[in-house]
Amino acid sequence: MSHLSEAFIREIEAIVGPAGIERDPERMRSYLSDWRNAYRGLAALVIRPATTEEVAGVVRLCNEQQVALVPQGGNTGLCGGAIPDGSGCQVVLSLTRMTKIRQVDPANETITVEAGVILQSLQEAAAEAGRFFPLSLGAEGSCTVGGNLATNAGGTAVLRYGNMRDLTLGLEVVLPDGQIWNGLRGLRKDNTGYDLKHLFIGSEGTLGIITSAVLKLYPAVRSVTTAWVALPSASAAVELIGSIRALCGDRLTGFELMSRQSVDFVLRHVHGCRDPFGDAHPWYVLIELSDTQPDAPLNQLLEIGIGEALEKGWVIDAVVASSESQVAALWAMREGISEAQNHEGPSLKHDISVPVSCIPDFIETTDQRLRDRFPGVRIVTYGHVGDGNLHYNISKPVGADDARFKAQHEAIMQVIYDSTVSFSGSISAEHGIGQAKRDAARHYKDPLELELMRAIKTTLDPKGLMNPGKVL
């Protein structure tokens, strides 16, 4: 039941129109839980503005009436950052109606899009203009640009192109008092003071609501080569990426590491996936090279690099895809890991980063600590070696009780995060903090950093109405 007055709701409807407001409990349900049903909340109302001016009007009214707002995009996050609390007093502000491609500027290599644009639609708009937008991740068919910006999304091509922070030139943001900051400047050089856009990228809607962005485009990719490589160890992966990068330069677009446990789950649960090799191996990497030239000698380069690695003992076996269908099959092995793990019962998912040079020692040390304290746990390790980002996930022992395993969550998390910090790492690499890691961030982040973050939050959002209970 709504905790808002009918007068307030009528004012909201006057701003966004009948299509921009949702009160029916059944139709509100999809906005109140994440896609994994790991986080659930209640809301007094779901508001769906269609323009920046409507967003500003809603925020202004909520600020006046001291109603807390929870911004939401495609709701594909993993940390509960877009889910309201259980009070039923907050309103969800969904940006999914803001889907305009405002401008494509091929000469400036930029595209200006609204926050509700689906990532895949952005990629297609870039391709239609003969350009390439490089952010790519498993949820690209449903996640939105606003959510990607709010969490500073990374994905599989960070190695070459960087994360959303690196891909963004300008923002339009509705501030907590309803003012609109128009920072939609497609400039690569603007040295006129603080670069304010970086306050909002990665802030998870706690400082303002991103409504539009100017993003970088790149020349279209016309040659791609993909290989699936078996390795004896994680340390071999670090040696291999250094060697391939030295040989291929920025043609190296993707370098994805996967443990055998990860691959076993995919082979067991993802329809159509087959092991490219006859024998099982401890580790695998998926390597992708790309080039803007249509006939770039990528196969030759990759074969040279893999051949040298074979001689040094870094590679056990390898297969290079010879068709688009084979490329898709290899990527399906990588992208199917998260879904496959869900079929094995409850899992505890962690998104951490450490310096690339520390990856092998981190894995060895943390694996051993977990197995000593929690015998039988199955460790699903995969991620983006080039930027040090690992998805370090834990599945329950075979036959173990679900409730007992879930009860160990905090203890398992502490082992992983203690180890991460001991290697000078971060407890959140690309998923954000949300509500899942809020308490952990308070424990592991430097107190001065937290103090500075709170000062920024208080300055921009003195009433604490923007996505309360998230990040801080």
Side-chain angles (χ1 to χ4, degrees):
M1 185 173 69
S2 174
H3 295 270
L4 304 176
S5 70
E6 286 299 319
F8 176 87
I9 294 173
R10 285 196 298 272
E11 288 189 70
I12 291 291
E13 188 168 356
I15 295 169
V16 300
I21 195 167
E22 189 57 74
R23 303 178 66 181
D24 180 80
E26 191 62 32
R27 289 197 290 267
M28 287 173 62
R29 185 173 297 176
S30 63
Y31 299 92
L32 305 181
S33 65
D34 69 334
W35 65 277
R36 294 186 302 154
N37 284 318
Y39 299 93
R40 289 180 287 275
L42 300 172
L45 198 64
V46 173
I47 307 171
R48 302 178 62 237
T51 67
T52 299
E53 290 70 28
E54 289 182 5
V55 174
V58 169
V59 172
R60 193 176 304 115
L61 181 61
C62 287
N63 183 64
E64 292 170 358
Q65 299 295 319
Q66 298 198 48
V67 175
L69 283 163
V70 180
Q72 191 177 98
N75 202 12
T76 60
L78 294 169
C79 294
I83 304 301
D85 66 15
S87 69
C89 298
Q90 299 177 344
V91 300
V92 172
L93 186 70
S94 171
L95 300 175
T96 51
R97 292 178 69 206
M98 296 188 62
T99 58
K100 291 186 179 66
I101 307 289
R102 293 190 184 178
Q103 182 188 39
V104 180
D105 186 344
N108 196 43
E109 302 282 9
T110 56
I111 184 169
T112 304
V113 300
E114 293 184 339
V117 171
I118 300 295
L119 175 56
Q120 185 174 329
S121 300
L122 166 57
Q123 295 166 344
E124 291 168 354
E128 288 173 7
R131 298 297 187 271
F132 176 61
F133 185 73
L135 182 68
S136 180
L137 38 89
E140 62 192 31
S142 53
C143 66
T144 63
V145 171
N148 298 149
L149 288 161
T151 57
N152 189 28
T156 58
V158 169
L159 175 62
R160 179 170 178 177
Y161 298 100
N163 51 28
M164 276 301 272
R165 194 179 297 280
D166 301 299
L167 297 172
T168 304
L169 293 176
L171 293 180
E172 177 185 78
V173 180
V174 174
L175 301 177
D177 61 1
Q179 293 187 86
I180 300 171
W181 172 54
N182 186 350
L184 290 175
R185 294 182 286 273
L187 301 175
R188 288 161 177 82
K189 288 186 174 182
D190 182 2
N191 198 15
T192 55
Y194 304 137
D195 197 342
L196 297 177
K197 66 178 178 288
H198 291 302
L199 278 177
F200 301 100
I201 299 172
S203 70
E204 302 186 49
T206 61
L207 301 179
I209 299 173
I210 297 170
T211 52
S212 188
V214 182
L215 304 172
K216 297 178 185 177
L217 296 179
Y218 292 84
V221 171
R222 292 183 172 84
S223 298
V224 177
T225 291
T226 308
W228 183 267
V229 183
L231 309 176
S233 64
S235 61
V238 174
E239 298 286 2
L240 180 60
I241 191 173
S243 177
I244 296 294
R245 184 180 263 161
L247 178 67
C248 302
D250 65 2
R251 291 185 179 94
L252 180 58
T253 307
F255 197 97
E256 298 290 299
L257 177 71
M258 293 148 281
S259 66
R260 180 64 201 187
Q261 182 69 83
S262 308
V263 172
D264 279 342
F265 281 178
V266 171
L267 295 174
R268 189 178 306 161
H269 297 294
V270 180
H271 178 72
C273 284
R274 297 181 180 179
D275 195 334
F277 307 123
D279 299 322
H281 301 289
W283 292 91
Y284 303 86
V285 291
L286 189 154
I287 304 174
E288 184 168 277
L289 305 183
S290 64
D291 201 291
T292 57
Q293 296 299 313
D295 298 310
L298 301 181
N299 275 27
Q300 180 182 347
L301 279 171
L302 195 51
E303 288 169 4
I304 291 171
I306 291 173
E308 292 175 351
L310 276 165
E311 293 178 2
K312 294 176 179 178
W314 300 338
V315 168
I316 301 171
D317 203 352
V319 59
V320 178
S322 59
S323 66
E324 290 186 7
S325 62
Q326 287 184 3
V327 170
L330 295 180
W331 273 106
M333 294 280 286
R334 161 61 180 87
E335 293 172 346
I337 296 172
S338 183
E339 174 195 343
Q341 188 175 13
N342 291 338
H343 290 283
E344 292 288 327
S347 60
L348 308 177
K349 302 196 176 188
H350 305 91
D351 161 53
I352 64 92
S353 62
V354 295
V356 173
S357 57
C358 295
I359 287 175
D361 288 343
F362 168 82
I363 291 173
E364 182 180 359
T365 300
T366 315
D367 283 5
Q368 191 60 55
R369 289 175 181 171
L370 287 171
R371 289 176 175 137
D372 288 345
R373 282 195 61 183
F374 311 99
V377 293
R378 293 172 292 171
I379 303 171
V380 177
T381 306
Y382 62 102
H384 324 302
V385 175
D387 56 25
N389 178 193
L390 294 177
H391 301 292
Y392 193 85
N393 300 342
I394 313 300
S395 282
K396 69 173 187 175
V398 175
D401 178 71
D402 288 1
R404 183 181 178 188
F405 176 68
K406 289 179 181 178
Q408 296 175 317
H409 179 197
E410 293 295 327
I412 290 173
M413 182 179 71
Q414 183 176 351
V415 170
I416 294 170
Y417 289 169
D418 282 353
S419 186
T420 299
V421 172
S422 74
F423 283 96
S424 301
S426 168
I427 64 169
S428 182
E430 63 180 0
H431 292 164
I433 295 294
Q435 54 186 297
K437 300 182 182 182
R438 180 188 58 208
D439 294 336
R442 182 175 59 189
H443 178 73
Y444 290 102
K445 279 191 77 68
D446 180 88
L448 179 57
E449 287 186 60
L450 289 173
E451 182 182 334
L452 292 170
M453 288 170 62
R454 290 192 185 100
I456 293 169
K457 169 73 169 172
T458 300
T459 299
L460 291 177
D461 183 24
K463 296 181 181 179
L465 299 177
M466 300 300 297
N467 213 6
K470 314 297 169 42
V471 182
L472 293 170

